[in-house]
Amino acid sequence: MHETLTSPLENKNVLFVVNPTAGNGLSKDERKELRTAIDFVQLSGSAVDLVETRAPEHATEIAQNARLNNTDAIIVVGGDGTLNEVVQSTANSDVAIGIIPTGLFSIWAREMKIPTDIQQAGESLARSQIKTVDLGKVNNTLFLQVLIENHLHH
């Protein structure tokens, strides 16, 4: 007997926020892997859109607009900085956040045991369960479990 697993992204409005310069930038092969990951999410019946960031803090603006437009989930394709920008705009909302780590360190993703391979991370997102995580706050800046030192300067 086979068990049918449903995806938390099934039949949802999903936005991929892609930082094309995270890490060493997305190579041609990595872009193909990303396309495969997006296709995997679309197979669950989800409406998928993709927006590339153009500058620092652009992901914050994209996430704010997504939140206002009833996006169900935002998948960050980038590193800790891009993830942080999206968290700032979606905290205390019903928008789920996932990450396909492409940053140099992607510390939070590594701590959460998210695969660093783009295709594997995308497939993992489609199979995983949505979990609530605590956020910290320092000087009105939210953070996940990793506190970046430069946010502590006065």
Side-chain angles (χ1 to χ4, degrees):
M1 183 167 101
H2 295 306
E3 181 180 347
T4 302
L5 296 176
T6 59
S7 167
L9 300 177
E10 189 172 320
N11 300 316
K12 303 288 185 192
N13 293 318
V14 179
L15 175 64
F16 282 76
V17 176
V18 180
N19 180 347
T21 62
N24 294 316
L26 288 175
S27 69
K28 190 174 183 179
D29 287 341
E30 288 172 324
R31 285 186 178 276
K32 285 181 185 175
E33 288 179 24
L34 178 57
R35 184 70 248 168
T36 301
I38 291 169
D39 290 345
F40 196 81
V41 171
Q42 284 179 312
L43 286 174
S44 69
S46 293
V48 174
D49 199 4
L50 182 146
V51 179
E52 288 194 2
T53 60
R54 295 186 302 264
E57 298 186 23
H58 188 213
T60 302
E61 178 185 331
I62 293 167
Q64 286 170 344
N65 290 333
R67 183 177 176 177
L68 294 173
N69 290 314
N70 298 317
T71 297
D72 297 304
I74 297 174
I75 308 301
V76 175
V77 182
D80 295 315
T82 311
L83 178 61
N84 178 57
E85 288 184 31
V86 170
V87 165
Q88 299 306 312
S89 296
T90 57
N92 301 312
S93 76
D94 291 331
V95 178
I97 301 172
I99 185 165
I100 295 178
T102 61
L104 284 178
F105 302 107
S106 297
I107 296 168
W108 194 80
R110 289 176 192 274
E111 290 292 319
M112 297 296 108
K113 309 283 189 253
I114 297 169
T116 56
D117 176 84
I118 292 173
Q119 189 172 338
Q120 288 176 5
E123 291 172 6
S124 174
L125 280 169
R127 289 190 310 266
S128 59
Q129 297 300 311
I130 296 173
K131 297 176 183 172
T132 302
V133 297
D134 292 329
L135 297 175
K137 189 173 190 178
V138 173
N139 296 333
N140 292 321
T141 300
L142 298 170
F143 64 92
L144 292 164
Q145 79 185 58
V146 178
L147 178 62
I148 307 299
E149 183 179 327
N150 67 358
H151 287 290
L152 294 175
H153 296 283
H154 294 279

